[in-house]
Amino acid sequence: NPTITNGLRFGSGTSSFIWGPLFYVTKGGYRAQSLRYAINDNDTSKHSLDQITVADKNTISYLLKWVDGSNGGATDNIIQAAEVEIKGASIYTFTSADSNNRLFTSIMGDKDGKAGIVTLDANSWYWVVVDMPGPTFLSSDDSYSYFTRALAADNLSTSVKDYATPMFLGSLSTFTDNGSQNAN
């Protein structure tokens, strides 16, 4: 199971955001079946997440294929909206059994979130993002990074936070509405 030590979000407001890791697939043909993640609504009282104060009582996760420089994007190792294609989606609706920092397993479906098989292509980058609603935080391991650059930056004499996964302030639809927007 993943280690959860904190919940992080983009900025301090109540805006939605997308965030998640990049994966490189060398050998294609594998199937994306499910994702595991946890969220936190920053409320320390004992409660279930179906009581959060946002209109949508769910999260939507996406599997995006990223090809740097495609569809008019610059070949610059920065994810631009024009360079991503939705390959799969997963919708998770909160219930009274869901609580802060509890792992969810959300089943991957086609790009509309309907049951289906999502097969990964060889020699391809995939960005898995969770479209975080309102004032929620994505749970993470804030102590260790499996990316050397981020770990080194965090341990400099003047520490610099360099997140190992791209993030965008806004929903996925906000990101993809403008092909030139970057995920940092």
Side-chain angles (χ1 to χ4, degrees):
N1 282 335
T3 302
I4 298 171
T5 60
N6 200 358
L8 301 171
R9 64 170 288 109
F10 195 114
S12 60
T14 58
S15 300
S16 60
F17 64 99
I18 57 173
W19 185 21
L22 281 168
F23 294 97
Y24 186 77
V25 176
T26 304
K27 183 179 177 185
Y30 291 99
R31 294 180 178 169
Q33 296 178 338
S34 63
L35 336 172
R36 296 185 74 199
Y37 60 96
I39 72 163
N40 184 310
D41 67 356
N42 209 30
D43 181 345
T44 58
S45 68
K46 188 173 182 176
H47 68 287
S48 60
L49 288 174
D50 67 337
Q51 298 172 4
I52 62 176
T53 57
V54 293
D56 292 329
K57 305 287 188 199
N58 62 46
T59 57
I60 304 174
S61 307
Y62 296 94
L63 175 65
L64 307 170
K65 183 177 178 182
W66 172 50
V67 180
D68 194 24
S70 65
N71 299 317
T75 305
D76 56 5
N77 293 324
I78 296 173
I79 296 176
Q80 295 174 315
E83 301 169 338
V84 299
E85 174 188 359
I86 299 173
K87 299 300 276 186
S90 177
I91 301 168
Y92 188 89
T93 302
F94 304 125
T95 71
S96 60
D98 297 324
S99 59
N100 281 327
N101 298 323
R102 179 188 160 270
L103 285 172
F104 308 126
T105 299
S106 193
I107 305 302
M108 182 64 63
D110 67 11
K111 66 181 182 175
D112 297 317
K114 298 175 187 160
I117 295 173
V118 181
T119 304
L120 304 177
D121 299 327
N123 302 313
S124 299
W125 282 101
Y126 289 90
W127 184 27
V128 178
V129 299
V130 180
D131 204 334
M132 298 297 294
T136 57
F137 295 72
L138 188 59
S139 298
S140 67
D141 177 0
D142 196 31
S143 299
Y144 296 100
S145 173
Y146 302 102
F147 287 77
T148 305
R149 183 184 76 177
L151 186 60
D154 194 40
N155 289 294
L156 292 171
S157 57
T158 303
S159 179
V160 176
K161 281 290 185 196
D162 185 8
Y163 296 102
T165 55
M167 187 183 274
F168 176 78
L169 179 59
S171 65
L172 183 68
S173 61
T174 304
F175 178 64
T176 56
D177 282 349
N178 180 345
S180 65
Q181 295 193 93
N182 296 335
N184 300 313

